[in-house]
Short mmCIF file of all heavy atoms in Angstrom, two decimals:
data_model
loop_
_atom_site.label_atom_id
_atom_site.label_comp_id
_atom_site.label_asym_id
_atom_site.label_seq_id
_atom_site.Cartn_x
_atom_site.Cartn_y
_atom_site.Cartn_z
N ASP A 9 19.81 -91.31 -5.05
CA ASP A 9 20.47 -91.79 -6.33
C ASP A 9 19.43 -92.07 -7.38
O ASP A 9 19.72 -91.75 -8.58
CB ASP A 9 21.23 -93.10 -5.99
CG ASP A 9 22.50 -92.86 -5.16
OD1 ASP A 9 22.96 -91.67 -5.15
OD2 ASP A 9 23.00 -93.79 -4.59
N GLU A 10 18.29 -92.61 -7.01
CA GLU A 10 17.24 -92.81 -8.01
C GLU A 10 16.74 -91.55 -8.60
O GLU A 10 16.55 -91.39 -9.82
CB GLU A 10 16.10 -93.62 -7.42
CG GLU A 10 16.40 -95.06 -7.15
CD GLU A 10 15.32 -95.82 -6.41
OE1 GLU A 10 14.66 -95.17 -5.53
OE2 GLU A 10 15.07 -97.02 -6.66
N VAL A 11 16.54 -90.53 -7.80
CA VAL A 11 16.06 -89.22 -8.29
C VAL A 11 17.08 -88.58 -9.18
O VAL A 11 16.72 -88.02 -10.20
CB VAL A 11 15.69 -88.32 -7.06
CG1 VAL A 11 15.55 -86.85 -7.53
CG2 VAL A 11 14.39 -88.77 -6.42
N LYS A 12 18.34 -88.65 -8.79
CA LYS A 12 19.39 -88.07 -9.64
C LYS A 12 19.37 -88.73 -11.02
O LYS A 12 19.55 -88.03 -12.03
CB LYS A 12 20.75 -88.27 -8.99
CG LYS A 12 21.02 -87.34 -7.84
CD LYS A 12 22.42 -87.62 -7.26
CE LYS A 12 22.74 -86.62 -6.12
NZ LYS A 12 24.10 -86.89 -5.56
N GLU A 13 19.14 -90.05 -11.05
CA GLU A 13 19.08 -90.73 -12.32
C GLU A 13 17.86 -90.35 -13.13
O GLU A 13 17.93 -90.14 -14.38
CB GLU A 13 19.17 -92.26 -12.11
CG GLU A 13 19.36 -93.09 -13.35
CD GLU A 13 20.67 -92.81 -14.02
OE1 GLU A 13 21.65 -92.47 -13.33
OE2 GLU A 13 20.71 -92.97 -15.28
N ILE A 14 16.73 -90.30 -12.46
CA ILE A 14 15.48 -89.91 -13.11
C ILE A 14 15.57 -88.51 -13.70
O ILE A 14 15.13 -88.25 -14.83
CB ILE A 14 14.27 -90.01 -12.12
CG1 ILE A 14 14.04 -91.43 -11.67
CG2 ILE A 14 13.00 -89.43 -12.72
CD1 ILE A 14 13.09 -91.55 -10.47
N ALA A 15 16.22 -87.60 -12.94
CA ALA A 15 16.24 -86.20 -13.35
C ALA A 15 17.11 -86.00 -14.58
O ALA A 15 16.99 -84.94 -15.23
CB ALA A 15 16.77 -85.36 -12.19
N LYS A 16 17.89 -86.94 -14.97
CA LYS A 16 18.68 -86.83 -16.18
C LYS A 16 17.81 -86.85 -17.38
O LYS A 16 18.12 -86.26 -18.44
CB LYS A 16 19.73 -87.95 -16.27
CG LYS A 16 20.84 -87.91 -15.24
CD LYS A 16 21.73 -89.14 -15.38
CE LYS A 16 22.82 -89.09 -14.30
NZ LYS A 16 23.68 -90.32 -14.37
N THR A 17 16.66 -87.55 -17.28
CA THR A 17 15.72 -87.69 -18.37
C THR A 17 14.49 -86.76 -18.15
O THR A 17 13.95 -86.15 -19.11
CB THR A 17 15.24 -89.10 -18.53
OG1 THR A 17 16.38 -89.96 -18.68
CG2 THR A 17 14.31 -89.29 -19.72
N TYR A 18 14.04 -86.69 -16.92
CA TYR A 18 12.82 -85.92 -16.61
C TYR A 18 13.14 -84.91 -15.52
O TYR A 18 13.19 -85.20 -14.36
CB TYR A 18 11.71 -86.86 -16.11
CG TYR A 18 11.44 -88.01 -17.03
CD1 TYR A 18 11.79 -89.34 -16.68
CD2 TYR A 18 10.83 -87.79 -18.27
CE1 TYR A 18 11.53 -90.37 -17.55
CE2 TYR A 18 10.57 -88.87 -19.12
CZ TYR A 18 10.94 -90.14 -18.75
OH TYR A 18 10.70 -91.20 -19.62
N PRO A 19 13.37 -83.66 -15.92
CA PRO A 19 13.78 -82.62 -14.97
C PRO A 19 12.69 -82.36 -13.95
O PRO A 19 11.51 -82.56 -14.21
CB PRO A 19 13.98 -81.37 -15.83
CG PRO A 19 14.17 -81.88 -17.23
CD PRO A 19 13.36 -83.15 -17.32
N THR A 20 13.12 -81.98 -12.77
CA THR A 20 12.16 -81.62 -11.71
C THR A 20 11.48 -80.30 -12.12
O THR A 20 12.04 -79.56 -12.89
CB THR A 20 12.87 -81.42 -10.40
OG1 THR A 20 13.92 -80.47 -10.54
CG2 THR A 20 13.41 -82.74 -9.83
N PHE A 22 8.48 -83.07 -10.71
CA PHE A 22 7.60 -84.12 -11.27
C PHE A 22 6.90 -84.83 -10.15
O PHE A 22 7.36 -84.90 -9.02
CB PHE A 22 8.40 -85.11 -12.15
CG PHE A 22 9.60 -85.74 -11.51
CD1 PHE A 22 9.46 -86.76 -10.53
CD2 PHE A 22 10.88 -85.29 -11.85
CE1 PHE A 22 10.59 -87.36 -9.96
CE2 PHE A 22 11.99 -85.87 -11.26
CZ PHE A 22 11.85 -86.91 -10.31
N VAL A 285 8.45 -84.37 -6.42
CA VAL A 285 9.92 -84.21 -6.29
C VAL A 285 10.30 -82.87 -6.88
O VAL A 285 9.98 -82.54 -8.00
CB VAL A 285 10.63 -85.36 -7.01
CG1 VAL A 285 12.16 -85.21 -6.86
CG2 VAL A 285 10.19 -86.74 -6.47
N LYS A 287 13.40 -79.40 -6.60
CA LYS A 287 14.85 -79.08 -6.32
C LYS A 287 14.97 -77.62 -5.77
O LYS A 287 14.24 -76.76 -6.20
CB LYS A 287 15.67 -79.21 -7.60
CG LYS A 287 17.16 -78.99 -7.43
CD LYS A 287 17.93 -79.45 -8.61
CE LYS A 287 17.59 -78.66 -9.85
NZ LYS A 287 18.48 -79.06 -10.99
N TYR A 361 17.55 -82.11 -3.48
CA TYR A 361 16.27 -82.59 -3.93
C TYR A 361 15.34 -82.78 -2.70
O TYR A 361 15.76 -83.37 -1.72
CB TYR A 361 16.37 -83.91 -4.72
CG TYR A 361 16.99 -83.80 -6.06
CD1 TYR A 361 18.31 -84.13 -6.30
CD2 TYR A 361 16.24 -83.28 -7.15
CE1 TYR A 361 18.90 -84.00 -7.52
CE2 TYR A 361 16.82 -83.19 -8.38
CZ TYR A 361 18.12 -83.48 -8.59
OH TYR A 361 18.71 -83.34 -9.85
N LEU A 387 5.25 -89.52 -13.37
CA LEU A 387 6.06 -90.69 -13.61
C LEU A 387 5.61 -91.81 -12.70
O LEU A 387 5.05 -91.59 -11.58
CB LEU A 387 7.54 -90.41 -13.30
CG LEU A 387 8.15 -89.16 -13.97
CD1 LEU A 387 9.56 -88.94 -13.41
CD2 LEU A 387 8.14 -89.33 -15.45
#
Side-chain angles (χ1 to χ4, degrees):
D9 287 342
E10 288 174 325
V11 164
K12 286 180 177 178
E13 190 63 31
I14 294 168
K16 292 177 182 177
T17 305
Y18 307 109
T20 55
F22 52 77
V285 180
K287 184 166 64 173
Y361 289 101
L387 309 174

